[in-house]
Short mmCIF file of all heavy atoms in Angstrom, two decimals:
data_model
loop_
_atom_site.label_atom_id
_atom_site.label_comp_id
_atom_site.label_asym_id
_atom_site.label_seq_id
_atom_site.Cartn_x
_atom_site.Cartn_y
_atom_site.Cartn_z
N SER S 4 1.45 7.45 2.48
CA SER S 4 0.89 8.75 2.35
C SER S 4 1.81 9.82 2.72
O SER S 4 2.80 9.57 3.44
CB SER S 4 -0.41 8.87 3.08
OG SER S 4 -0.10 8.85 4.49
N ASN S 7 2.29 10.07 6.70
CA ASN S 7 3.04 9.06 7.47
C ASN S 7 4.39 8.66 6.80
O ASN S 7 5.04 7.75 7.29
CB ASN S 7 2.23 7.82 7.72
CG ASN S 7 1.73 7.13 6.45
OD1 ASN S 7 2.42 7.29 5.46
ND2 ASN S 7 0.64 6.46 6.51
N LEU S 13 18.61 16.18 6.09
CA LEU S 13 20.01 16.06 5.61
C LEU S 13 20.84 17.06 6.37
O LEU S 13 20.59 18.27 6.34
CB LEU S 13 20.13 16.27 4.17
CG LEU S 13 21.59 16.35 3.56
CD1 LEU S 13 22.34 15.11 3.78
CD2 LEU S 13 21.55 16.71 2.10
N ASP S 20 31.97 16.19 15.19
CA ASP S 20 31.28 16.42 16.55
C ASP S 20 29.87 17.10 16.30
O ASP S 20 28.95 16.72 17.01
CB ASP S 20 32.10 17.27 17.43
CG ASP S 20 33.29 16.47 18.02
OD1 ASP S 20 33.34 15.27 17.92
OD2 ASP S 20 34.19 17.16 18.61
N ASN S 21 29.81 18.00 15.38
CA ASN S 21 28.51 18.64 15.07
C ASN S 21 27.58 17.63 14.52
O ASN S 21 26.39 17.63 14.79
CB ASN S 21 28.77 19.78 14.13
CG ASN S 21 29.47 20.97 14.77
OD1 ASN S 21 29.50 21.09 15.97
ND2 ASN S 21 29.99 21.83 13.90
N ALA S 32 14.34 12.38 18.19
CA ALA S 32 13.08 13.15 17.93
C ALA S 32 12.20 12.48 16.86
O ALA S 32 11.11 12.96 16.53
CB ALA S 32 13.38 14.63 17.55
N THR S 40 29.54 15.36 4.53
CA THR S 40 30.63 16.12 5.12
C THR S 40 31.23 17.18 4.19
O THR S 40 32.20 17.84 4.49
CB THR S 40 31.76 15.17 5.64
OG1 THR S 40 32.22 14.38 4.51
CG2 THR S 40 31.21 14.29 6.74
N LEU S 59 22.44 23.09 6.84
CA LEU S 59 23.65 23.32 5.98
C LEU S 59 24.64 24.22 6.70
O LEU S 59 24.33 25.36 7.02
CB LEU S 59 23.21 23.91 4.62
CG LEU S 59 24.30 24.30 3.67
CD1 LEU S 59 25.13 23.04 3.24
CD2 LEU S 59 23.67 24.88 2.39
N GLU S 70 27.45 28.35 -1.67
CA GLU S 70 27.48 27.78 -3.08
C GLU S 70 26.63 26.57 -3.18
O GLU S 70 25.88 26.34 -4.18
CB GLU S 70 28.91 27.48 -3.45
CG GLU S 70 29.04 26.90 -4.91
CD GLU S 70 28.52 27.79 -5.98
OE1 GLU S 70 28.44 29.05 -5.79
OE2 GLU S 70 28.20 27.28 -7.04
N LEU S 75 21.59 23.98 -5.16
CA LEU S 75 20.35 23.27 -4.79
C LEU S 75 19.17 23.99 -5.38
O LEU S 75 18.25 23.43 -5.84
CB LEU S 75 20.24 23.08 -3.31
CG LEU S 75 21.16 22.09 -2.60
CD1 LEU S 75 21.13 22.23 -1.17
CD2 LEU S 75 20.83 20.63 -3.08
N ILE S 84 13.36 22.28 -1.56
CA ILE S 84 13.68 21.82 -0.21
C ILE S 84 14.13 23.02 0.66
O ILE S 84 15.02 23.71 0.31
CB ILE S 84 14.86 20.80 -0.25
CG1 ILE S 84 14.45 19.59 -1.18
CG2 ILE S 84 15.23 20.24 1.17
CD1 ILE S 84 15.56 18.61 -1.44
N HIS S 97 26.67 38.18 6.57
CA HIS S 97 26.62 36.72 6.44
C HIS S 97 25.23 36.26 6.50
O HIS S 97 24.81 35.28 5.79
CB HIS S 97 27.52 36.13 7.49
CG HIS S 97 28.95 36.36 7.38
ND1 HIS S 97 29.75 35.86 6.34
CD2 HIS S 97 29.72 37.11 8.09
CE1 HIS S 97 30.96 36.28 6.48
NE2 HIS S 97 31.00 37.10 7.56
N VAL S 99 22.57 38.00 5.51
CA VAL S 99 22.07 38.41 4.19
C VAL S 99 22.47 37.33 3.13
O VAL S 99 21.66 36.89 2.27
CB VAL S 99 22.44 39.78 3.77
CG1 VAL S 99 22.08 40.09 2.36
CG2 VAL S 99 21.83 40.82 4.74
N THR S 111 22.56 29.66 14.96
CA THR S 111 23.94 30.03 15.29
C THR S 111 24.62 29.01 16.07
O THR S 111 24.00 28.23 16.77
CB THR S 111 23.97 31.38 15.98
OG1 THR S 111 23.28 31.29 17.23
CG2 THR S 111 23.48 32.53 15.15
N ARG S 122 12.75 24.58 14.95
CA ARG S 122 12.75 25.23 13.70
C ARG S 122 12.50 24.28 12.57
O ARG S 122 11.72 24.60 11.63
CB ARG S 122 14.08 25.98 13.51
CG ARG S 122 14.31 27.20 14.40
CD ARG S 122 15.65 27.80 14.19
NE ARG S 122 15.88 28.94 15.14
CZ ARG S 122 15.68 30.19 14.83
NH1 ARG S 122 15.14 30.53 13.63
NH2 ARG S 122 15.90 31.12 15.67
N ARG S 131 5.86 20.21 3.64
CA ARG S 131 5.04 19.13 3.29
C ARG S 131 3.68 19.52 2.73
O ARG S 131 3.15 18.84 1.82
CB ARG S 131 4.78 18.22 4.55
CG ARG S 131 6.09 17.50 4.95
CD ARG S 131 5.79 16.14 5.44
NE ARG S 131 7.00 15.31 5.43
CZ ARG S 131 7.04 14.03 5.71
NH1 ARG S 131 5.97 13.44 6.11
NH2 ARG S 131 8.08 13.31 5.73
N ASP S 153 11.80 38.13 -7.13
CA ASP S 153 12.95 38.86 -6.77
C ASP S 153 14.18 38.36 -7.58
O ASP S 153 15.14 39.13 -7.81
CB ASP S 153 13.27 38.81 -5.30
CG ASP S 153 13.43 37.39 -4.79
OD1 ASP S 153 13.06 36.45 -5.54
OD2 ASP S 153 13.86 37.23 -3.61
N PRO S 180 10.92 33.80 -18.91
CA PRO S 180 11.01 34.73 -19.93
C PRO S 180 10.78 36.18 -19.39
O PRO S 180 9.86 36.41 -18.56
CB PRO S 180 9.93 34.39 -20.96
CG PRO S 180 9.74 32.90 -20.73
CD PRO S 180 9.99 32.70 -19.25
N PRO S 202 -4.98 37.72 -19.55
CA PRO S 202 -3.99 36.66 -19.72
C PRO S 202 -2.82 37.16 -20.58
O PRO S 202 -2.91 38.08 -21.31
CB PRO S 202 -4.81 35.53 -20.41
CG PRO S 202 -6.18 35.85 -20.20
CD PRO S 202 -6.28 37.33 -20.10
N PHE S 203 -1.71 36.40 -20.48
CA PHE S 203 -0.50 36.63 -21.28
C PHE S 203 -0.37 35.45 -22.27
O PHE S 203 -0.66 34.33 -21.92
CB PHE S 203 0.72 36.63 -20.38
CG PHE S 203 1.98 36.66 -21.05
CD1 PHE S 203 2.42 37.85 -21.66
CD2 PHE S 203 2.81 35.56 -21.20
CE1 PHE S 203 3.66 37.92 -22.38
CE2 PHE S 203 4.07 35.60 -21.82
CZ PHE S 203 4.41 36.81 -22.42
N THR S 248 -12.00 8.12 -30.74
CA THR S 248 -10.81 7.92 -31.47
C THR S 248 -10.28 9.24 -32.00
O THR S 248 -11.02 10.27 -31.91
CB THR S 248 -11.08 6.99 -32.71
OG1 THR S 248 -11.91 7.66 -33.61
CG2 THR S 248 -11.75 5.67 -32.26
N ASP S 266 -17.64 19.88 -45.85
CA ASP S 266 -16.54 20.72 -45.40
C ASP S 266 -15.52 19.93 -44.63
O ASP S 266 -14.28 20.02 -44.86
CB ASP S 266 -16.95 21.93 -44.53
CG ASP S 266 -17.85 22.97 -45.32
OD1 ASP S 266 -17.61 23.07 -46.50
OD2 ASP S 266 -18.59 23.65 -44.62
N VAL S 291 -25.97 11.57 -27.19
CA VAL S 291 -26.91 12.59 -27.82
C VAL S 291 -27.39 12.10 -29.14
O VAL S 291 -27.02 11.07 -29.59
CB VAL S 291 -26.11 13.95 -28.02
CG1 VAL S 291 -25.59 14.44 -26.72
CG2 VAL S 291 -24.95 13.73 -29.06
N GLU S 292 -28.34 12.89 -29.70
CA GLU S 292 -28.95 12.40 -30.92
C GLU S 292 -28.86 13.37 -32.09
O GLU S 292 -29.18 13.09 -33.19
CB GLU S 292 -30.52 12.09 -30.73
CG GLU S 292 -30.72 10.95 -29.67
CD GLU S 292 -32.25 10.73 -29.48
OE1 GLU S 292 -33.04 11.49 -30.07
OE2 GLU S 292 -32.60 9.71 -28.80
N THR S 295 -26.42 19.42 -33.17
CA THR S 295 -26.35 20.57 -32.35
C THR S 295 -25.98 20.14 -30.85
O THR S 295 -25.21 20.85 -30.18
CB THR S 295 -27.68 21.36 -32.33
OG1 THR S 295 -27.96 21.79 -33.68
CG2 THR S 295 -27.63 22.52 -31.41
N LEU S 300 -22.23 20.05 -26.37
CA LEU S 300 -21.58 19.34 -25.31
C LEU S 300 -20.04 19.43 -25.46
O LEU S 300 -19.31 19.60 -24.39
CB LEU S 300 -21.99 17.87 -25.41
CG LEU S 300 -21.57 16.95 -24.19
CD1 LEU S 300 -22.06 17.49 -22.93
CD2 LEU S 300 -22.15 15.54 -24.43
#
Side-chain angles (χ1 to χ4, degrees):
S4 71
N7 59 27
L13 170 62
D20 287 346
N21 290 341
T40 57
L59 179 59
E70 178 61 23
L75 288 168
I84 303 173
H97 295 290
V99 170
T111 57
R122 290 178 183 265
R131 290 219 162 182
D153 58 347
F203 172 77
T248 65
D266 292 335
V291 300
E292 297 181 354
T295 300
L300 190 56

